[in-house]
Amino acid sequence: MASRMCDSVLVTGSNRGIGLELVRQLVDSPSSPLQIFAGCRDPNGPRAQELQELAQKHQDVITVVQLDTTSLASIADASKLVEAKLNGRGLNLIINNAGVNIPGSLAETGKREMVDVFTTNVVGPMLIAKNFHPLLCKAAAQFPHQTSMSSSRSAVVNVSTLLSSITRCPENFSISPMYPYRVSKAALNMLTCCLAEDFKKDGILVMSLHPGWVQTEMGGPQAPLATAESVSGMMKVITSLTEKDSGTLLDWEGKNIPW
Ligand code: NDP
């Protein structure tokens, strides 16, 4: 039997798109985690039906957690619930997947658009990392003889995008201007760098991951990658992360993207 990829994982925004597929592939994997916390902002709403059905089928592994990443109260409640369910153990892996994009040419973008997208794409992952930090530390400390970092020990994966890359902006800006999205994801990358430095002492790996251009509501039907293909690549990258990957931006094939 394959060794477990990690004991426990939290995925935010897991009721549809890449997040739902992450939960599906995590639970179907021969090295499935023991506990999967599937964060979702409206677990009883119509958009969570598929996730609820999946959780029903795997009641022993999947816990659906109400988690609106823009709400401090929701994050605090979710971290308490996860802590209780972990029963004294730490949380190994957080995948900050929840994100938003809106049409974003300069003409379409005002203060509200910038602030709303920033709140979900940057403030959310920051508050999640901060609130779950004690549980990540606890997970890292469960490996007293291990000094290296990995996703099976303790890690935060921030789902970013190629469009966050300042270096690559001149070649893809005209295809997708997206001011709020690009700026917020570039800030998310800086959050990754800050957290990677800050959490190094705790043995927690932090990185940004680009899933490719994927057929989801956000990516649209013309995207070249099926959700399953993107997520299977993401899973391979996540399970093979080592110390050298902390504080980097990789794509779903494991290739480095310049900031
Ligand atoms: P979708 O729009 O298909 O799904 C977004 C998910 O995020 C939904 O589950 C949504 O929940 C959730 N979400 C949004 N805001 C919040 C919030 N405040 N609290 C909790 N959950 C929230 O997007 P994708 O699956 O395509 O994208 C997932 C991630 O991948 C995002 O971070 C995105 O930026 C990134 N990405 C996607 C690409 C693509 O081509 N699809 C390319 C590059 C990066 P709800 O149903 O409640 O709205």
Side-chain angles (χ1 to χ4, degrees):
M1 197 178 133
S3 70
R4 219 182 303 290
M5 66 176 286
C6 63
D7 282 352
S8 55
V9 53
L10 166 70
V11 183
T12 67
S14 72
N15 57 302
R16 60 188 170 93
I18 292 168
L20 178 62
E21 184 61 24
L22 275 165
V23 173
R24 201 178 277 133
Q25 291 197 22
L26 280 164
V27 76
D28 283 344
S29 157
S31 57
S32 174
L34 290 170
Q35 285 175 288
I36 300 171
F37 298 101
C40 163
R41 62 175 152 181
D42 185 14
N44 301 315
R47 297 197 115 186
Q49 213 173 324
E50 233 180 304
L51 173 64
Q52 290 289 6
E53 281 164 17
L54 186 67
Q56 198 62 32
K57 255 199 253 163
H58 302 277
Q59 289 177 34
D60 47 336
V61 181
I62 300 175
T63 304
V64 177
V65 180
Q66 197 284 327
L67 182 50
D68 178 344
T69 60
T70 62
S71 158
L72 250 183
S74 171
I75 295 172
D77 287 350
S79 69
K80 275 188 216 131
L81 179 97
V82 169
E83 185 177 14
K85 289 264 177 194
L86 285 168
N87 204 13
R89 296 184 63 80
L91 176 66
N92 299 111
L93 174 63
I94 295 175
I95 305 179
N96 274 319
N97 164 76
V100 288
N101 187 9
I102 51 172
S105 68
L106 197 53
E108 288 164 315
T109 304
K111 180 179 172 187
R112 188 180 58 78
E113 288 74 19
M114 289 301 285
V115 171
D116 286 356
V117 173
F118 194 89
T119 302
T120 304
N121 292 358
V122 188
V123 182
M126 189 279 287
L127 292 174
I128 297 271
K130 184 175 169 179
N131 276 263
F132 285 87
H133 183 218
L135 286 176
L136 291 167
C137 285
K138 200 181 257 187
Q142 281 162 205
F143 295 76
H145 304 300
Q146 194 176 318
T147 49
S148 60
M149 295 193 279
S150 67
S151 59
S152 59
R153 185 181 180 202
S154 191
V156 178
V157 171
N158 291 323
V159 180
S160 188
T161 167
L162 175 67
L163 301 181
S164 69
S165 169
I166 293 170
T167 307
R168 303 285 294 272
C169 185
E171 74 198 53
N172 57 30
F173 175 76
S174 59
I175 309 160
S176 25
M178 298 179 187
Y179 276 81
Y181 188 66
R182 284 175 180 272
V183 173
S184 70
K185 292 287 189 176
L188 176 68
N189 292 343
M190 179 51 95
L191 176 73
T192 292
C193 285
C194 295
L195 290 173
E197 285 305 314
D198 212 358
F199 289 2
K200 206 187 279 178
K201 62 183 182 321
D202 307 315
I204 303 165
L205 187 155
V206 187
M207 58 89 62
S208 284
L209 183 56
H210 165 53
W213 182 14
V214 190
Q215 292 152 13
T216 62
E217 264 178 55
M218 188 187 290
Q222 75 282 26
L225 273 180
T227 318
E229 198 183 341
S230 159
V231 168
S232 122
M234 290 172 78
M235 295 266 289
K236 274 194 208 124
V237 173
I238 292 172
T239 48
S240 57
L241 291 172
T242 63
E243 199 121 350
K244 69 173 183 356
D245 303 310
S246 198
T248 64
L249 168 61
L250 302 179
D251 73 8
W252 81 105
E253 291 177 310
K255 293 190 202 116
N256 194 274
I257 299 175
W259 295 125

